[in-house]
Amino acid sequence: MPPSAGLATERLPAATCPAKKDAYAAAASPESETKLAAGDERAPLVRTTRISTTTIKLYRLTIFVRIAIFVLFFKWRITYAARAISSTDAGGIGMSKAATFWTASIAGELWFAFMWVLDQLPKTMPVRRAVDVTALDDDTLLPAMDVFVTTADPDKEPPLATANTVLSILAAGYPAGKVTCYVSDDAGAEVTRGAVVEAARFAALWVPFCRKHGVEPRNPEAYFNGGEGGGGGGKARVVARGSYKGRAWPELVRDRRRVRREYEEMRLRIDALQAADARRRRRGAADDHAGVVQVLIDSAGSAPQLGVADGSKLIDLASVDVRLPALVYVCREKRRGRAHHRKAGAMNALLRASAVLSNAPFILNLDCDHYVNNSQALRAGICFMIERRGGGAKDAGDVAFVQFPQRFDGVDPGDRYANHNRVFFDCTELGLDGLQGPIYVGTGCLFRRVALYGIDPPRWRSPGGGVAADPAKFGESAPFLASVRAEQSHSRDDGDAIAEASALVSCAYEDGTAWGRDVGWVYGTVTEDVATGFCMHRRGWRSAYYAAAPDAFRGTAPINLADRLHQVLRWAAGSLEIFFSRNNALLAGGRRRLHPLQRAAYLNTTVYPFTSLFLIAYCLFPAIPLIAGGGGWNAAPTPTYVAFLAALMVTLAAVAVLETRWSGIALGEWWRNEQFWMVSATSAYLAAVAQVALKVATGKEISFKLTSKHLASSATPVAGKDRQYAELYAVRWTALMAPTAAALAVNVASMAAAGGGGRWWWWDAPSAAAAAALPVAFNVWVVVHLYPFALGLMGRRSKAVRPILFLFAVVAYLAVRFLCLLLQFHTA
């Protein structure tokens, strides 16, 4: 499906594409969701620009050249291996060992090549989008929207962060009468409910203040206490007179001071709630809790409601619309012995409860730490879902979801552990946007409700076919089934609707239904996001990618090595769970509806952890590349092997440089991504393979550690960057680090042995120096990639890198030399 089909598309050089810092750059489906109707002379809401420059053409050419080199290389490799094995002592143990090493080496290199091709091909057709947000200034054109916020553990996900996220949603630049915010508290914690209640009270002041002065961002913590890098704990942001766009500068200064005082009092109340909750849970608390649906802010009307001029008020709101979006607290029922399906179960409970209360046709899902950073983000996302016709707006059709890139506060300036993940968000997702759309990645995603119900897109439905509400599929709730058939929003907060919503979040409602399989978020994996997006794509839906300036949403990310590895472990294990499920990208249906390269992208997303099996072998046994590169145990690499290796490395570097040029990411960001890929592949990926293998063999479910969402507190007594990035230097040993530490030790020892004149057991040929060159180069390659891991192990002592690395090298050298002696003794 070419990206130009049916689109308002231009072929422009990358330099003429809308700059990320100057305009909205967004992603949509390959076919226009915003084309003009016949006779409508206005511009479309979304304009698509294919990246068609010399850079992208060279990029595609280099990829195919490298694929051709791979084909020639493996043809030579397999032929040469067969001759080498046959020339070894026939029938002896030497032939068996040679065949084993040759097979392992070629199998690993074939896998690496296969994964590289899967990763690169879906990125060859990137597009950029720009949206016209100002075209939707008329609020009557905008549809209703439900916003889902999920939290599961008040210890790992601070209630204050949840409160700030809720406040940023309520203050977003979207009609108050058309937004309903739902907060899912999966822990049933009183502190979370209390924090949301406090946010509802403070919203009566915060939301009108934001509207009056047009402040950005509309997260109070980020606005009052966020430094230049964002995230709490930095230097307080001072509003500059020159950048103020409001009515009166002195009035802003006065209002800001008063609102900030109220916010600090709210913070203290939430901190007190958290302290009391911690004491209560130390005394012991039951895991079971009943379902709760509580409307904290009623839905607003459609007409603006101006504030009243009253001297007793903290700020003058006489000319400000003081309406607030609706806010609903939801806690689904949990009972011991029942499967709750983690976040996917919580999202499905919200999907049902919201259907009988508001039933908005579009749903935005955010993690509790991901706040609205750009007040126009909701309007911009809707641009992909509707199209203008005859002076109005109508549903655009086949876009199931709009994925926003994830941006983070509180990440160290060097981004040691690649938290920003720019290669994925600004390169892979951008490339997929030219196919069938980006992959759903958990938060910052705007959905079409009917797509979540497992309904086919309009172009794949039977003529005249509507949305069938089958009780066997959706459950027995008559009000919910009526909402499925209605496909239109409503606002109900009466006692009957709340009682029905409470019944819909009971843990028994899904029994015997298709929830988690064909309806809603998919169960059976800890990465329900990828599985849910895949199900939509294979039904024929498309998705859109949208990167805004300023960033649409911002969240927090773990900057501690142990926390980051546990996060990656959860993602990798979830990906493998999908591979071993009915949603396997190779075997799942929808072959006519799913683009072949889109399928390749999903296959890559679900099998990448298997790379660890080959990579750890290469890193722990640096002899394998040398032995496979030559013709036997003691031979130096052949000139043909060296030539192929050089060609592959040069083309790899060329692809990397060209990729950074057309995507706009910095070469340093690409390199940090490569480094952390090596760290993850030798640690978390390996553990994920072991966990999922155990699950497949025994049926035991995988437990995972929830990622901490804490930012450095502004109350911490340590000053400066040492306070803000204290977690970066905290050393917390975890078993995940053991394989990577071993790989680092082996390769440092190998370098030390080569530099000190040591002899490995395979360096017995006269051309020992030539034979040693490639393994030493490989050792350097591994150590340079694992350098961030070494810094993480050193903690604050990383400033003394060279002495520690020297001692580490000596110890590792002695250990590996001892291993060599044992192996020599064994083979003698």
Side-chain angles (χ1 to χ4, degrees):
M1 183 186 304
S4 58
L7 276 172
T9 306
E10 297 178 358
R11 290 176 175 267
L12 297 176
T16 65
C17 294
K20 291 184 180 179
K21 295 184 178 181
D22 300 326
Y24 283 97
S29 59
E31 296 181 3
S32 177
E33 302 302 331
T34 54
K35 60 186 179 180
L36 293 175
D40 192 349
E41 297 178 356
R42 289 176 297 179
L45 295 177
V46 179
R47 183 168 295 277
T48 303
T49 304
R50 290 189 62 184
I51 301 178
S52 180
T53 65
T54 302
T55 301
I56 193 66
K57 292 175 182 176
L58 286 174
Y59 175 74
R60 294 169 184 153
L61 176 63
T62 308
I63 288 174
F64 287 109
V65 167
R66 194 164 195 261
I67 291 174
I69 295 173
F70 272 132
V71 172
L72 296 175
F73 171 70
F74 286 115
K75 180 181 177 182
W76 169 83
R77 188 78 150 163
I78 294 171
T79 303
Y80 195 87
R83 292 202 304 267
I85 294 172
S86 62
S87 64
T88 313
D89 298 334
I93 193 171
M95 175 178 288
S96 175
K97 288 185 176 180
T100 300
F101 274 98
W102 272 108
T103 302
S105 178
I106 293 176
E109 289 163 356
L110 280 169
W111 179 259
F112 294 143
F114 174 66
M115 292 302 297
W116 184 85
V117 171
L118 282 184
D119 182 58
Q120 293 298 326
L121 287 183
K123 296 189 287 190
T124 55
M125 300 174 67
V127 296
R128 293 193 187 277
R129 318 285 186 182
V131 303
D132 183 11
V133 182
T134 59
L136 296 178
D137 285 343
D138 183 359
D139 290 351
T140 61
L141 299 176
L142 296 171
M145 182 185 300
D146 291 337
V147 184
F148 293 173
V149 179
T150 54
T151 180
D153 185 346
D155 291 332
K156 296 292 184 65
E157 300 170 327
L160 180 63
T162 303
N164 274 278
T165 296
V166 169
L167 288 166
S168 72
I169 294 167
L170 300 181
Y174 207 82
K178 295 187 176 183
V179 173
T180 303
C181 177
Y182 293 85
V183 180
S184 170
D185 176 16
D186 225 25
E190 287 297 326
V191 63
T192 303
R193 186 196 295 204
V196 178
V197 170
E198 290 291 343
R201 293 171 182 164
F202 181 64
L205 177 64
W206 173 250
V207 174
F209 167 72
C210 292
R211 291 175 183 158
K212 178 179 180 180
H213 297 289
V215 301
E216 298 280 354
R218 298 188 177 183
N219 171 334
E221 183 68 26
Y223 178 68
F224 291 126
N225 301 321
E228 290 300 323
K235 182 180 178 181
R237 184 179 303 169
V238 179
V239 179
R241 180 191 294 265
S243 62
Y244 178 53
K245 300 296 189 295
R247 297 173 300 171
W249 167 258
E251 189 175 11
L252 168 64
V253 175
R254 182 177 62 253
D255 290 352
R256 185 177 187 273
R257 186 185 307 117
R258 293 174 177 175
V259 173
R260 179 167 189 170
R261 183 174 63 247
E262 293 297 314
Y263 172 67
E264 294 300 333
E265 291 180 1
M266 185 195 78
R267 282 188 58 167
L268 292 174
R269 291 193 294 270
I270 292 177
D271 288 344
L273 288 171
Q274 197 162 7
D277 185 72
R279 289 193 297 270
R280 179 184 64 82
R281 284 192 285 170
R282 278 198 298 270
R283 293 194 297 268
D287 295 330
D288 293 1
H289 53 256
V292 176
V293 177
Q294 181 180 3
V295 178
L296 301 178
I297 302 178
D298 293 333
S299 56
S302 57
Q305 180 183 344
L306 301 182
V308 179
D310 186 350
S312 64
K313 300 293 184 182
L314 286 172
I315 61 177
D316 180 12
L317 302 175
S319 60
V320 181
D321 185 1
V322 296
R323 292 177 303 156
L324 299 178
L327 176 61
V328 182
Y329 170 86
V330 178
C331 172
R332 61 176 174 144
E333 181 187 20
K334 281 192 171 182
R335 301 298 176 193
R336 287 191 179 94
R338 304 284 305 197
H340 302 297
H341 306 292
R342 306 184 183 92
K343 181 181 176 181
M347 296 294 286
N348 284 337
L350 287 179
L351 186 61
R352 295 190 297 272
S354 65
V356 297
L357 295 177
S358 53
N359 202 35
F362 302 106
I363 297 169
L364 173 66
N365 99 272
L366 295 173
D367 286 347
C368 64
D369 64 310
H370 272 73
Y371 63 89
V372 180
N373 183 66
N374 185 331
S375 62
Q376 297 300 307
L378 277 63
R379 289 178 182 262
I382 285 296
C383 287
F384 295 94
M385 298 294 193
I386 63 176
E387 58 186 23
R388 299 185 300 187
R389 290 183 178 178
K394 295 186 178 181
D395 193 290
D398 287 351
V399 175
F401 62 88
V402 181
Q403 178 64 60
F404 299 82
Q406 294 181 15
R407 308 299 190 206
F408 300 104
D409 292 333
V411 176
D412 55 294
D415 192 13
R416 180 187 291 178
Y417 304 127
N419 279 288
H420 288 305
N421 207 357
R422 297 281 186 181
V423 172
F424 176 77
F425 286 110
D426 295 341
C427 188
T428 301
E429 294 282 70
L430 201 66
L432 289 173
D433 192 30
L435 301 173
Q436 203 169 338
I439 294 171
Y440 168 39
V441 288
T443 183
C445 193
L446 178 64
F447 284 97
R448 188 182 301 276
R449 184 181 286 269
V450 294
L452 288 167
Y453 287 160
I455 308 299
D456 288 342
R459 59 176 174 161
W460 291 104
R461 295 177 199 165
S462 58
V467 178
D470 183 3
K473 181 178 180 182
F474 293 101
E476 298 292 339
S477 170
F480 176 73
L481 294 174
S483 73
V484 173
R485 287 188 290 266
E487 293 189 76
Q488 60 185 5
S489 62
H490 56 252
S491 179
R492 291 186 59 198
D493 51 18
D494 55 88
D496 290 342
I498 294 173
E500 187 62 32
S502 300
L504 287 167
V505 299
S506 66
C507 55
Y509 181 81
E510 295 180 352
D511 293 350
T513 68
W515 285 97
R517 187 180 70 252
D518 299 318
V519 181
W521 277 263
V522 175
Y523 298 158
T525 171
V526 296
T527 53
E528 74 292 325
D529 47 1
V530 176
T532 303
F534 174 72
C535 288
M536 293 181 183
H537 279 136
R538 69 186 179 93
R539 290 190 190 103
W541 289 100
R542 289 169 287 151
S543 58
Y545 183 73
Y546 163 43
D551 299 329
F553 309 103
R554 294 188 70 86
T556 58
I559 61 173
N560 178 266
L561 177 58
D563 290 341
R564 181 76 165 109
L565 290 179
H566 279 289
Q567 182 187 58
V568 174
L569 169 62
R570 186 174 74 250
W571 294 344
S575 295
L576 289 175
E577 285 179 312
I578 297 172
F579 180 75
F580 289 106
S581 73
R582 62 193 293 266
N583 294 311
N584 182 298
L586 275 178
L587 306 177
R591 299 197 179 277
R592 291 181 55 234
R593 304 184 184 187
L594 189 64
H595 193 291
L597 290 182
Q598 193 81 19
R599 190 181 294 273
Y602 274 110
L603 181 61
N604 179 44
T605 303
T606 55
V607 301
Y608 69 88
F610 289 126
T611 302
S612 61
L613 298 176
F614 298 101
L615 188 62
I616 195 67
Y618 271 66
C619 291
L620 290 178
F621 301 100
I624 291 179
L626 178 64
I627 294 173
W633 289 88
N634 302 316
T638 66
T640 304
Y641 175 80
V642 173
F644 272 122
L645 183 62
L648 290 171
M649 294 304 294
V650 168
T651 51
L652 177 64
V655 168
V657 171
L658 292 169
E659 188 171 274
T660 59
R661 291 291 300 274
W662 68 256
S663 65
I665 61 176
L667 194 59
E669 291 174 326
W670 180 90
W671 172 242
R672 282 191 292 274
N673 188 84
E674 290 295 299
Q675 287 181 307
F676 193 71
W677 172 83
M678 174 73 83
V679 174
S680 301
T682 53
S683 57
Y685 295 179
L686 198 63
V689 172
Q691 282 189 354
V692 176
L694 183 64
K695 176 183 177 180
V696 172
T698 65
K700 182 179 179 181
E701 286 296 322
I702 295 176
S703 61
F704 67 91
K705 181 179 179 182
L706 190 66
T707 305
S708 175
K709 307 292 179 63
H710 284 273
L711 279 174
S713 170
S714 57
T716 307
V718 186
K721 290 185 177 180
D722 288 340
R723 168 176 56 79
Q724 189 173 2
Y725 304 118
E727 284 293 300
L728 181 68
Y729 304 106
V731 180
R732 302 189 186 102
W733 177 260
T734 172
L736 295 178
M737 299 177 182
T740 310
L744 185 62
V746 166
N747 285 275
V748 170
S750 180
M751 293 165 57
R759 286 161 53 88
W760 292 100
W761 64 90
W762 62 80
W763 291 358
D764 296 327
S767 56
L774 277 183
V776 170
F778 180 79
N779 299 146
V780 173
W781 181 80
V782 172
V783 171
V784 170
H785 276 77
L786 296 182
Y787 180 70
F789 176 81
L791 294 180
L793 291 183
M794 295 173 194
R796 292 193 178 277
R797 296 184 299 276
S798 59
K799 298 177 181 179
V801 171
R802 284 178 293 181
I804 294 177
L805 278 182
F806 175 75
L807 293 176
F808 180 69
V810 171
V811 174
Y813 168 68
L814 294 175
V816 176
R817 287 295 292 168
F818 178 70
L819 177 63
C820 294
L821 292 174
L822 289 179
L823 289 172
Q824 286 178 331
F825 176 78
H826 176 71
T827 56

